[in-house]
Amino acid sequence: MVDEEVYRKLFVEESRENHENIVNNLLALESGEDQQTAIDEIFRSAHTLKGMSASMGFDAMEHLCHSMEDVFSLIRSGRREVTVSLTDLLLTCTDMIEEMLDEIEAGGAPSDEASGNLVQELRVFTEETADDDQETPHEAGVAVEGVGGPIYTLSVAIDPSCAMKDVRAILLLQNLDEIGTILGTTPTRDLIEDGTFDGPIEIRIASEAGEDALRTVASGTEISLLELSLAPEVPKETQKPEPSAPKPSRGEKSREIKNIRVDIQRLDRMMNLVEDLVINRGRLEQIARKHGIKEFDEALSMIGRSVSDLQNLMMGIRMMPLDRIFNRLPRVVRDVATHDGKEVEFTIEGGETELDRGMMDGLSDPLLHIIRNAVNHGIELPEVREASGKPRKGSLRLTARRDKDNVIIEIVDDGAGIDPEKLKDKAVNKGIMTPEAAAAATKEDLINLLFEPGFSTAETITDISGRGVGLDVVKKTIESLKGTIRVESELGRGTTFELMLPPTMAIIDVMMVQINGRRCAIPISNVVEVALARTEAVHRIGDAETVLLRDEILPMYRLEDMFGRAQKSDTLVVLQNSGRKCCIVVDTVDGQQEVVVKPLSRLAGSCRGISGITIPGDGEVVPVLDVNTIV
């Protein structure tokens, strides 16, 4: 039972990678990008999926992949063109495969009921093609476009006593694929993979590896090479490979396992242990300072370096490229654009930028919503764009980059932009702003209304957007990741969404301060400076305090609702987040420290202004300020 679960888990992981590869290359195929590479990748992944599902006994998935493979064969041979309707059908099949994988991951086994109609549609498609155009088989020795090297005919026999002759035959074909291009087999490859064959197998292969390599691969346990010859129509002397630099045979290769799959829960447990080490390192440093033992200090210094190296290594292991979620988005753009009758060119840059795994899951939905909004709300219809002097095809660009200690993600479209007047009217009609407040509101104030719950500028409600739910949830999600979201828009020119995120939330540098005798931590990335406030520089505007500091008027907060009323102090910590500044009053600054930040427990719930807690070496529970909320 345990082995079955392990194999099921490995099957799902590898199948999802192949599924994603098929989807991405289908979109590339439709757009006309490097079609030969795309169809080769699709064919390889579909073939792998078919074989894996057959070996695991998931017949419904095997039947669907088999039918898809037949269609991909027609495309690869040039007998069918890639049309929108065909891509729709194939993408629907990939959606079905994803549903099957979800069912398998949950412990079930998919049936043919759900996928039967799709299999039938694919078969009708291939049968119509067969009726329209009878495929002409390649004659031995005839040059084949895109295939290099002389063409050989091999006759091999599988030992009749072999318990799994289909597996043995498949392995033989896979090994031959590595040193050449198989042009055909008798019986067909499908019959070989199904194990429904008797007698020898004849294989036609184009290869530059030479006869010795072919003999080595085609001979082995339970396999006998009966005959090996060059194609008869071509003179042998014209087909001999050059003697220099022969390709090594498979038997001469040695491969090293360079990657392993690790359960994410194990990584989380490792991370918790590393966090404990960081906390206890701080405790040991306090003890060392207290007792001043030289040998202890030296040993602790070496341990501290090892802990730092282990911590950096662990953080690196947890980091994942943003491509893991970016790669799903071209399909979203394509589907929404097709639904709306729009033309959109979608480009992705910086997908190699890395982010902590713990943040990936939370980032997926916000990105999805912003991308869909950009196509649905931002990009205009082709005829509208043409009338306004724009290209028919809209542009949507997703970029990611590192900027100091943050990761910046931008979603930029060249669509209609956001109309401040429309926002103003909507805000007044919904009672969010009074007419007077709306008239005095800045453009930035009006754009920020998009993040109000229930606020939408959609003219009609569709199944894509316009239900009044979305950007408010997007903002809350980004803030829960300790990030910020900012919008810039120019009417008629387009809109930019900018997400700023820390690369990780687990271990950070903080400034320790005292407020009303209580200790709290502030992320160093948000600290601009520590300054002294002169009494004459502090002013009260209404109920709020401000301070004039370096020719800037900054809001000043005493955080009395969080830490209680403190004695007057002139020590200020200037904070900055997403271009905005403010300052808080503190009693003292205790210095900088590297700490582990833990989220507030479910029992404690959330607390506005606090992003989490940390436990320094002395064991005290210290709150970490959420500068996003304060600013």
Side-chain angles (χ1 to χ4, degrees), residues 36 106 108 259 574 580 593:
Q36 187 57 49
N259 295 288
V574 181
R580 295 183 177 183
Q593 190 173 339

Side-chain angles (χ1 to χ4, degrees), residues 35-68:
Q35 293 201 332
Q36 187 57 49
T37 301
I39 191 60
D40 287 345
E41 283 292 309
I42 290 170
F43 201 85
R44 178 184 62 79
S45 292
H47 187 73
T48 304
L49 265 179
K50 183 185 74 172
M52 289 169 57
S53 54
S55 64
M56 288 290 292
F58 300 127
D59 295 338
M61 182 179 290
E62 190 253 335
H63 296 157
L64 180 57
C65 292
H66 190 114
S67 299
M68 291 174 69

Side-chain angles (χ1 to χ4, degrees), residues 590-607:
D590 295 341
Q592 184 174 335
Q593 190 173 339
E594 191 176 56
V595 299
V596 175
V597 179
K598 295 284 191 182
L600 294 173
S601 69
R602 293 180 181 177
L603 292 176
S606 61
C607 178

Side-chain angles (χ1 to χ4, degrees), residues 21 34 58 139 192 240-241 244 249 281-282 294 345 355 378 408 427 447 489 576:
N21 194 45
D34 198 357
F58 300 127
E139 294 295 333
I192 294 173
K240 286 183 179 178
S244 60
S249 69
R281 180 186 63 184
K294 182 180 179 182
E345 182 178 357
L355 208 60
I408 309 295
I447 288 179
S489 185
Q576 178 172 303

Side-chain angles (χ1 to χ4, degrees), residues 115 179 229 270 293 325 364 408 514:
S115 58
I179 62 170
S229 61
M270 285 179 64
I293 305 171
I325 52 178
S364 182
I408 309 295
Q514 300 273 351

Side-chain angles (χ1 to χ4, degrees), residues 299-316:
L300 181 60
S301 177
M302 294 181 66
I303 291 173
R305 283 197 296 271
S306 296
V307 171
S308 293
D309 290 344
L310 179 61
Q311 171 191 325
N312 292 333
L313 180 63
M314 192 63 222
M315 295 304 298

Side-chain angles (χ1 to χ4, degrees), residues 393-525:
K393 182 177 284 189
S395 169
L396 180 59
R397 191 172 76 253
L398 171 63
T399 62
R401 68 180 191 277
R402 288 293 293 268
D403 181 25
K404 297 180 181 176
D405 293 331
N406 294 305
V407 171
I408 309 295
I409 299 174
E410 287 186 340
I411 302 95
V412 184
D413 69 67
D414 69 343
I418 300 171
D419 187 350
E421 292 301 317
K422 185 184 286 188
L423 294 174
K424 191 181 296 184
D425 295 341
K426 203 85 171 182
V428 174
N429 292 337
K430 283 182 169 286
I432 296 174
M433 300 179 79
T434 63
E436 295 76 21
T442 64
K443 180 181 177 181
E444 184 180 6
D445 292 335
L446 294 171
I447 288 179
N448 284 334
L449 290 172
L450 294 171
F451 299 109
E452 290 291 325
F455 193 91
S456 174
T457 58
E459 299 295 336
T460 58
I461 292 177
T462 70
D463 58 350
I464 292 176
S465 57
R467 297 185 182 277
V469 178
L471 286 180
D472 59 320
V473 178
V474 167
K475 184 178 182 182
K476 287 177 183 175
T477 304
I478 296 300
E479 288 180 349
S480 72
L481 298 174
K482 310 299 173 284
T484 58
I485 182 168
R486 188 169 60 88
V487 183
E488 289 184 358
S489 185
E490 188 174 344
L491 189 60
R493 301 290 296 275
T495 303
T496 299
F497 279 80
E498 182 189 86
L499 313 182
M500 182 184 292
L501 298 158
T504 180
M505 299 188 298
I507 300 176
I508 62 173
D509 288 324
V510 298
M511 176 182 284
M512 289 290 188
V513 301
Q514 300 273 351
I515 301 177
N516 192 21
R518 300 181 182 181
R519 191 159 45 156
C520 71
I522 307 170
I524 283 292
S525 58

